[in-house]
C-alpha cells in the first residue's frame, strides 16, 4: 500500500510519510507475532540496549546540562537504560514462562480478600535477585473485585492470528524521562502485539538515533519507526488514516486538544454532546499533583531523617520535571514533630545543588506557583511552601505545576486513624490527579491498626500507592502496572486511561501498592546524598542485561565500596 503524501504549511512530512509507508507495507511480515518471536526480539533488544547505553546517558546529561562528573548523572542511567533493561528482562521472564507453562510465574501466591478482591504479589521478582538488591521492599497488584483465579491473567494479547495485520499505534512520547517513551513502545509491541510509530517529544528528540540503535531489532522487523517533529507533526499523525490506535504521555491540555479540538468553544461543545474528534482507541498517562501523607505518630530521629530525604528526593529528581514528583505534603496539625520534620525537609533541599531548568516554560510556572520571581531563571530554587490553605491557593492542589514547588497543608483530627481517614478523603477530593500517592506511617500504627491502613489504601483513588516509599519505584520495578486509577473517560480523563508495563499480564488491575520499612540500608541509590550512585547504576544495567551471580556480586561490591 502506498500512502498519499500530504503537505502542511511550514512542515516537512517526507520523513513521517515514509515511516508510515514502511510500517504499512511491512504489516504482513509479523502477522500474529508469536510468543517465541517476542522472546527472540526481547533478547535482541537487550543486547542492542547494552551497546547504546553509554551514548544514551551522555546525550541526556549534555541536553540537561548535568556535568558528566555530577552525581545527578545517575538519574539518567537509572531512569534511562537501566529502567528499560529491567523492563525487557522481567518481560522476558514472563514470556518464557508463558511459552513453557502457559502462564507467567508470579513471585508469590495471590491472596483472596473479603468482597472478592485478589491481591497479587508482583515484587520482588524471581530470577533477577530482587529480594537481595531491594531487600525489605515488596509490592502487590490489587485487582478489581470480581476477578477470579480462572481469569487472573489476560493473555489474549499474546494470541497469534494468521488472518489479521498488527494494528498500527502512534505513541506520542514523553519529553522528560527517557525510559517512558521507550517502555511505552516496548509495551505496545512486545506485550500488545502492535506496530508502533513513535514521535519523539521535541524536548528529547536528541535521543532518536540512540533509540534507533537500542531498538534496531524492532525496526529491522518492520515493527517500529521513530520520527521527530513539533506539535504540527503530532496533529498530522493523530488524524492520519493509517493510524489505528494512539498512546500519549503528556498533559490533559494536549489530550483534550487532540480528542475534543484546540478551540475552547469547539472543545466545550464537543464534550457536552460527547462528539470527540478522535475515533480510534486511545490510552494515556497525563500527570498528577502527587500527594505525600504523613501519619502522625512516634518516629525515631533516624526514621524522620530518612523520610525527610525520601521526600526531598521525590521533589528534586529530574529537576522536578516528573509527573510523580511530590507536590503536596499532608500533615497533622496536632503532630508534635510537624515543624521539626518540615525543617528537616527544607534542610535536605538546601543541601542539594540546583538543577538546570531544561523543560520549556519552567521559570514562568515557578513564578506562578511559588508566587514570586525566582532568583535564577535557569537554576530554579527548590521551594517548600508551608501551611497552605487550599481555599486560598487552589492552583497548588488542583493544577500540576511540573516545576520544583511543593505545598504543605495540615489537617486536624481526633486521632492518628482519624487523620489518615481525613487525609485520604482530602487527597481524593481536593488534590487533582489519580496517578500516585504516598503514605508515611509508623511501625506502631501498622501493627495496631493495619485494618484502617488497608481500608484507606483501598479508598485512595490512585493507580499507584507507596507505603513509606516514593511511588517512582512502582514505575521503575516494571512488574508493577503503571497508570491512573480506573474509571477515567475521554471526557474526564484525569491522569489517563489504561496502564503500561504489567509484565505479568494481570487482568483488571485497580492499583499497585508498594510496601517498605521506614528506613533502608544501604542508602537507596536514588537518594541525592548517595556517594556513588552512577557506578551502582551501571552495575544494575549489567545485572539486568545479563543476570548472573557474578553481576549480582559486582553490584553488591559497588554498593559496599561507596
Amino acid at each position: 500500500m502506498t500512502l498519499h503524501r500530504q503537505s502542511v504549511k511550514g512542515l516537512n512530512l517526507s520523513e513521517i510519510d515514509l515511516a508510515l509507508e514502511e510500517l504499512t507495507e511491512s504489516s504482513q511480515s509479523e502477522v500474529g507475532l508469536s510468543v517465541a518471536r517476542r522472546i527472540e526480539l526481547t533478547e535482541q533488544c537487550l543486547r542492542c540496549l547494552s551497546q547504546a547505553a553509554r551514548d544514551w546517558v551522555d546525550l541526556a546529561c549534555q541536553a540537561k546540562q548535568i556535568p558528566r562528573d555530577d552525581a545527578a548523572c545517575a538519574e539518567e542511567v537509572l531512569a534511562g537504560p537501566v529502567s528499560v533493561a529491567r523492563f525487557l528482562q522481567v518481560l522476558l521472564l514472563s514470556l518464557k514462562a508463558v511459552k513453557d507453562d502457559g502462564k507467567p510465574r508470579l513471585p508469590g501466591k495471590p491472596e483472596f480478600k473479603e468482597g472478592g478482591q485478589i491481591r497479587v504479589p508482583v515484587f520482588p521478582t524471581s530470577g533477577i535477585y530482587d529480594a537481595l538488591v531491594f531487600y525489605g521492599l515488596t509490592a502487590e497488584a490489587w485487582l478489581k473485585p470480581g476477578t477470579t483465579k480462572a481469569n487472573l491473567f489476560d493473555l489474549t494479547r499474546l494470541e497469534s492470528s494468521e488472518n489479521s495485520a498488527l494494528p498500527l499505534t502512534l505513541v506520542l512520547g514523553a519529553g522528560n524521562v527517557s525510559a517512558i517513551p521507550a517502555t511505552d513502545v516496548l509495551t505496545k509491541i512486545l506485550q500488545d502485539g502492535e506496530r508502533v510509530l513513535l514521535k519523539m517529544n521535541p524536548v528529547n528528540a536528541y535521543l532518536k538515533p540512540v533509540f534507533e540503535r537500542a531498538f534496531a531489532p524492532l525496526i529491522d522487523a518492520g515493527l517500529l519507526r521513530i520520527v521527530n517533529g513539533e506539535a504540527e507533526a503530532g496533529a498530522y499523525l493523530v488524524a492520519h488514516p493509517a493510524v489505528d490506535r494512539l498512546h500519549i504521555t503528556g498533559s490533559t491540555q494536549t489530550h483534550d486538544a487532540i480528542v475534543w479540538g484546540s478551540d475552547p468553544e469547539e472543545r466545550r461543545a464537543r464534550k457536552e454532546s460527547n462528539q470527540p474528534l478522535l475515533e480510534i482507541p486511545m490510552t494515556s498517562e497525563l500527570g498528577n499533583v502527587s500527594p505525600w501523607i504523613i501519619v502522625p505518630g512516634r518516629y525515631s530521629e533516624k526514621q524522620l531523617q530518612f523520610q525527610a530525604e525520601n521526600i526531598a528526593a521525590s521533589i528534586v529528581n529530574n529537576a522536578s520535571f516528573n509527573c510523580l514528583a511530590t507536590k503536596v505534603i499532608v500533615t497533622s496539625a496536632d503532630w508534635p514533630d510537624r515543624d521539626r520534620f518540615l525543617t528537616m525537609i527544607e534542610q535536605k533541599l538546601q543541601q542539594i545543588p540546583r538543577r538546570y531548568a531544561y523543560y520549556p516554560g519552567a521559570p514562568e510556572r515557578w513564578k506562578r506557583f511559588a508566587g514570586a520571581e525566582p532568583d535564577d531563571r535557569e537554576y530554579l530554587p527548590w521551594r517548600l511552601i508551608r501551611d497552605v490553605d487550599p481555599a486560598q491557593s487552589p492552583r497548588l492542589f488542583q493544577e500540576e505545576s511540573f516545576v520544583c514547588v511543593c505545598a504543605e497543608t495540615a489537617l486536624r483530627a481526633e486521632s492518628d486513624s482519624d487523620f489518615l481517614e481525613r487525609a485520604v478523603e482530602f487527597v481524593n477530593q481536593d488534590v487533582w490527579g489519580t496517578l500516585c500517592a504516598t503514605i508515611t506511617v509508623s511501625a506502631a500504627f501498622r501493627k495496631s491498626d493495619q485494618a484502617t491502613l488497608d481500608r484507606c489504601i483501598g479508598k485512595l483513588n490512585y493507580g499507584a500507592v507507596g507505603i513509606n516509599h516514593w511511588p517512582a519505584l512502582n514505575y521503575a520495578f516494571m512488574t508493577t502496572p503503571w497508570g491512573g486509577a480506573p474509571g477515567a473517560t475521554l471526557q474526564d480523563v484525569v491522569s489517563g486511561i489504561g496502564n503500561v508495563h504489567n509484565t505479568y499480564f494481570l487482568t483488571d488491575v485497580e492499583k499497585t501498592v508498594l510496601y517498605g520499612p521506614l528506613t533502608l540500608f544501604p542508602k537507596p541509590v536514588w537518594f541525592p546524598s548517595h556517594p556513588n550512585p552512577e557506578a551502582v547504576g551501571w552495575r544494575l544495567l549489567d545485572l539486568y542485561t545479563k543476570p548472573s551471580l557474578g553481576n549480582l556480586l559486582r553490584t553488591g561490591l559497588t554498593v559496599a565500596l561507596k
Side-chain angles (χ1 to χ4, degrees):
M1 174 182 176
T2 301
L3 300 175
H4 176 64
R5 284 210 172 101
Q6 303 181 44
S7 62
V8 175
K9 185 177 180 181
L11 182 63
N12 183 356
L13 298 175
S14 58
E15 179 191 11
I16 292 173
D17 280 332
L18 179 61
L20 284 169
E21 189 172 308
E22 289 175 346
L23 284 170
T24 302
E25 289 176 349
S26 68
S27 64
Q28 298 300 322
S29 65
E30 292 286 352
V31 168
L33 203 58
S34 68
V35 172
R37 178 60 171 146
R38 297 183 204 214
I39 291 172
E40 179 184 23
L41 290 168
T42 303
E43 291 175 332
Q44 291 173 353
C45 285
L46 272 169
R47 290 193 291 270
C48 291
L49 170 66
S50 181
Q51 297 167 5
R54 294 279 176 175
D55 289 343
W56 183 332
V57 172
D58 287 344
L59 284 171
C61 290
Q62 181 180 356
K64 296 181 181 181
Q65 298 193 23
I66 305 171
R68 201 59 192 84
D69 59 351
D70 195 303
C73 290
E75 294 178 8
E76 301 308 317
V77 181
L78 296 167
V82 169
S83 291
V84 178
R86 181 178 172 87
F87 173 86
L88 288 166
Q89 191 59 243
V90 296
L91 177 60
L92 182 62
L93 291 170
S94 283
L95 291 174
K96 287 182 174 179
V98 170
K99 182 174 178 289
D100 295 340
D101 305 331
K103 61 181 180 181
R105 296 190 193 106
L106 296 169
K109 292 183 179 180
E111 185 178 1
F112 294 81
K113 293 293 189 179
E114 292 183 11
Q117 185 182 70
I118 302 179
R119 299 181 187 177
V120 183
V122 292
F123 183 87
T125 310
S126 302
I128 51 174
Y129 309 103
D130 277 350
L132 295 174
V133 177
F134 298 102
Y135 180 76
L137 298 176
T138 62
E140 57 189 18
W142 293 21
L143 309 188
K144 295 177 184 177
T147 308
T148 66
K149 188 176 181 180
N151 66 346
L152 196 64
F153 303 107
D154 178 10
L155 301 179
T156 56
R157 293 174 289 171
L158 297 177
E159 294 174 357
S160 179
S161 173
E162 297 181 358
N163 300 318
S164 59
L166 305 178
L168 197 161
T169 296
L170 169 64
V171 172
L172 298 179
N176 57 336
V177 176
S178 59
I180 296 176
T183 54
D184 286 351
V185 164
L186 295 169
T187 294
K188 295 300 179 183
I189 296 175
L190 297 173
Q191 289 186 265
D192 296 348
E194 301 169 2
R195 294 168 294 141
V196 169
L197 177 63
L198 168 63
K199 191 195 84 66
M200 299 294 294
N201 191 294
V203 177
N204 60 5
Y206 56 86
L207 288 173
K208 178 177 180 287
V210 171
F211 279 15
E212 288 175 333
R213 287 170 54 199
F215 309 127
L218 303 178
I219 293 172
D220 293 343
L223 294 167
L224 173 65
R225 291 294 183 272
I226 305 172
V227 298
N228 288 333
E230 301 291 332
E232 295 85 358
Y236 173 75
L237 283 167
V238 165
H240 202 287
V243 173
D244 301 309
R245 301 175 185 177
L246 172 64
H247 178 80
I248 175 176
T249 301
S251 68
T252 53
Q253 291 79 10
T254 301
H255 171 275
D256 283 358
I258 290 171
V259 176
W260 305 104
S262 56
D263 177 75
E265 283 302 313
E266 178 190 17
R267 189 160 57 242
R268 181 192 58 76
R270 284 186 172 277
K271 276 192 174 185
E272 288 180 355
S273 60
N274 194 22
Q275 292 183 323
L277 289 167
L278 197 69
E279 297 181 355
I280 58 176
M282 181 176 184
T283 53
S284 53
E285 195 261 78
L286 304 173
N288 200 50
V289 178
S290 301
W292 196 306
I293 298 168
I294 311 295
V295 180
R298 287 193 170 187
Y299 298 90
S300 69
E301 181 70 14
K302 180 180 178 181
Q303 290 168 343
L304 289 174
Q305 291 286 351
F306 185 97
Q307 289 297 311
E309 184 166 5
N310 211 0
I311 292 174
S314 74
I315 294 172
V316 306
N317 182 274
N318 196 30
S320 209
F321 300 126
N322 289 331
C323 57
L324 41 67
T326 299
K327 291 293 181 277
V328 170
I329 301 170
V330 184
T331 62
S332 168
D334 305 305
W335 182 36
D337 287 324
R338 176 192 170 210
D339 286 339
R340 189 162 70 93
F341 181 66
L342 294 174
T343 298
M344 286 182 185
I345 296 174
E346 290 174 333
Q347 290 172 342
K348 300 292 185 185
L349 291 173
Q350 290 170 5
Q351 294 166 7
I352 301 168
R354 297 184 187 185
R355 299 278 296 278
Y356 175 67
Y358 70 89
Y359 217 86
E364 291 75 23
R365 292 195 306 276
W366 195 97
K367 178 180 178 180
R368 181 168 182 266
F369 285 87
E373 186 72 37
D375 58 12
D376 188 329
R377 290 176 60 85
E378 289 194 335
Y379 291 83
L380 299 171
W382 318 120
R383 181 71 182 273
L384 173 62
I385 308 175
R386 297 194 191 192
D387 202 22
V388 179
D389 182 349
Q392 297 296 319
S393 303
R395 68 169 62 92
L396 289 167
F397 301 84
Q398 287 295 316
E399 300 177 41
E400 184 182 22
S401 66
F402 213 62
V403 76
C404 51
V405 176
C406 180
E408 181 267 345
T409 194
L411 306 177
R412 294 202 174 274
E414 296 179 357
S415 65
D416 296 351
S417 296
D418 182 45
F419 167 81
L420 181 55
E421 298 269 13
R422 289 176 178 236
V424 167
E425 182 180 3
F426 171 75
V427 299
N428 279 345
Q429 295 184 0
D430 296 314
V431 181
W432 179 85
T434 64
L435 187 62
C436 63
T438 315
I439 301 173
T440 287
V441 57
S442 70
F445 187 100
R446 293 179 71 175
K447 184 177 181 180
S448 65
D449 215 347
Q450 183 65 40
T452 298
L453 180 60
D454 272 359
R455 184 171 64 253
C456 287
I457 292 171
K459 287 180 179 179
L460 277 169
N461 190 34
Y462 290 87
V465 177
I467 303 301
N468 294 331
H469 294 279
W470 186 25
L473 298 176
N474 297 52
Y475 178 89
F477 286 155
M478 300 295 166
T479 52
T480 38
W482 179 259
T489 65
L490 290 179
Q491 287 175 300
D492 185 17
V493 72
V494 201
S495 292
I497 298 172
N499 59 52
V500 292
H501 308 165
N502 191 12
T503 54
Y504 289 121
F505 297 90
L506 295 171
T507 301
D508 288 336
V509 176
E510 184 177 273
K511 59 169 60 80
T512 60
V513 185
L514 168 75
Y515 300 93
L518 284 161
T519 64
L520 292 176
F521 180 83
K523 181 172 290 188
V525 70
W526 56 91
F527 271 29
S529 65
H530 192 290
N532 198 25
E534 184 175 350
V536 175
W538 289 120
R539 291 303 188 191
L540 286 173
L541 181 68
D542 293 340
L543 181 64
Y544 295 148
T545 51
K546 293 181 180 179
S548 68
L549 186 58
N551 278 334
L552 172 66
L553 293 174
R554 279 185 282 273
T555 302
L557 182 62
T558 305
V559 172
L561 293 176
K562 62 189 178 68

